[in-house]
Amino acid sequence: MSKTSSSLPCDLCASRKFSMFSELTEEQACTISDNKNMISHRKGQVLYYEGAKPLGVYCVNSGVIKVFKTASNGKEQIISLVKKGGLLGYTALLGEVNYTNSATVIEDAKICFIPKESFLKTILSSGPFFKRLTKALSHEIGVMEEKLVDASQKSIRERLAYLLLQLANSYGLDGEEHQKIDLVLSREEIASLIGTATESVIRLLSEFKKDKLIELKGKKIIILDKDGLVKLSDFYA
């Protein structure tokens, strides 16, 4: 069950530095703060459904959200994972179309809902914000193109190794000899992220463990050999 929390002013929000709102002036941040609502969401709750009309945007204060599309057979295809500072729903809002995907909470979250009018007013009044928004849209297109190439040219083994590197980079805990991915994803969700069957993920994770690339503790994954995964993923930084 969702519940409304006392809205934290944007200028005091620790997650703001990670978001596109980081360069807003105090006045612009106040405009957002005066009109937003912060809501606490539990794991499994839906933010919005594919096909619904966007009435505003969502800014993640804490937690993790999965953005996905549902195929005609009911199977999910995860598009992205969004963490603190991330902005959701703005592409549909700016394009004046219904949502083309759905968003669900996969780790308890606090999320600010910003109404359409306030969001559009901020875009018009802030050149730096508009520039960051345009850059984010271009990045999303680039990510989609990269995924299409990976799906056609990279093996499942390479895609899984690369995904583990991305998860370690975004959710890895520092200060340990080995890097634990501090995010619990089901084997089905991992399979959805790389576009394969759950059975293939289970088999490959077992092989990665046998090759001492990773360690498995329940659903948690620990990276043992990052260089080995880089080589396996055919990724060159």
Side-chain angles (χ1 to χ4, degrees), residues 7-233:
S7 288
L8 180 71
C10 289
D11 57 339
L12 299 178
C13 178
S15 297
R16 181 182 166 192
K17 64 182 178 180
F18 302 107
S19 79
M20 285 187 277
F21 295 118
S22 62
E23 296 180 26
L24 294 184
T25 64
E26 184 177 344
E27 181 181 354
Q28 291 161 345
C30 285
T31 298
I32 294 292
S33 294
D34 291 344
N35 293 281
K36 73 177 184 178
N37 286 310
M38 180 184 279
I39 301 174
S40 296
H41 296 268
R42 301 300 298 272
K43 180 178 179 179
Q45 290 184 314
V46 178
L47 281 186
Y48 59 80
Y49 288 99
E50 184 175 346
K53 181 180 180 180
L55 301 176
V57 297
Y58 300 85
C59 187
V60 182
N61 175 267
S62 63
V64 182
I65 316 300
K66 72 174 178 182
V67 179
F68 64 95
K69 288 185 72 68
T70 304
S72 56
N73 61 3
K75 187 175 181 180
E76 286 184 6
Q77 175 64 58
I78 298 178
I79 299 170
S80 64
L81 300 175
V82 182
K83 58 179 182 176
K84 63 180 179 180
L87 200 62
L88 292 158
Y90 64 93
T91 53
L93 187 70
L94 294 176
E96 298 183 337
V97 296
N98 291 346
Y99 291 120
T100 58
N101 49 54
S102 303
T104 300
V105 177
I106 62 171
E107 188 178 271
D108 288 359
K110 289 184 178 180
I111 301 170
C112 293
F113 176 76
I114 305 164
K116 176 180 178 179
E117 294 75 15
S118 298
F119 181 70
L120 294 179
K121 182 178 179 181
T122 304
I123 292 175
L124 294 173
S125 65
S126 174
F129 178 65
F130 178 78
K131 185 177 180 180
R132 290 195 67 172
L133 196 64
T134 304
K135 186 176 181 180
L137 286 167
S138 297
H139 176 71
E140 283 193 19
I141 294 172
V143 169
M144 289 297 117
E145 290 176 344
E146 185 177 321
K147 283 189 174 182
L148 285 172
V149 172
D150 284 349
S152 62
Q153 297 184 3
K154 283 184 179 261
S155 68
I156 298 170
R157 180 183 293 270
E158 289 172 332
R159 297 204 299 269
L160 178 58
Y162 184 51
L163 174 65
L164 293 178
L165 290 170
Q166 288 181 307
L167 292 174
N169 184 54
S170 297
Y171 304 99
L173 293 177
D174 296 325
E176 300 180 5
E177 183 179 353
H178 303 302
Q179 197 170 26
K180 178 190 282 187
I181 297 174
D182 191 32
L183 175 66
V184 175
L185 293 173
S186 68
R187 301 309 186 236
E188 291 81 5
E189 287 171 329
I190 293 175
S192 178
L193 279 164
I194 62 174
T196 191
T198 303
E199 295 76 13
S200 297
V201 168
I202 294 172
R203 174 177 55 81
L204 285 171
L205 286 176
S206 179
E207 290 179 10
F208 284 9
K209 179 181 178 181
K210 183 179 178 181
D211 294 339
K212 297 187 174 3
L213 294 169
I214 63 171
E215 183 59 63
L216 301 174
K217 288 191 175 181
K219 289 185 178 180
K220 287 286 181 82
I221 300 173
I222 301 170
I223 305 299
L224 300 181
D225 184 358
K226 202 167 187 177
D227 290 339
L229 287 175
V230 168
K231 184 177 180 180
L232 183 59
S233 69

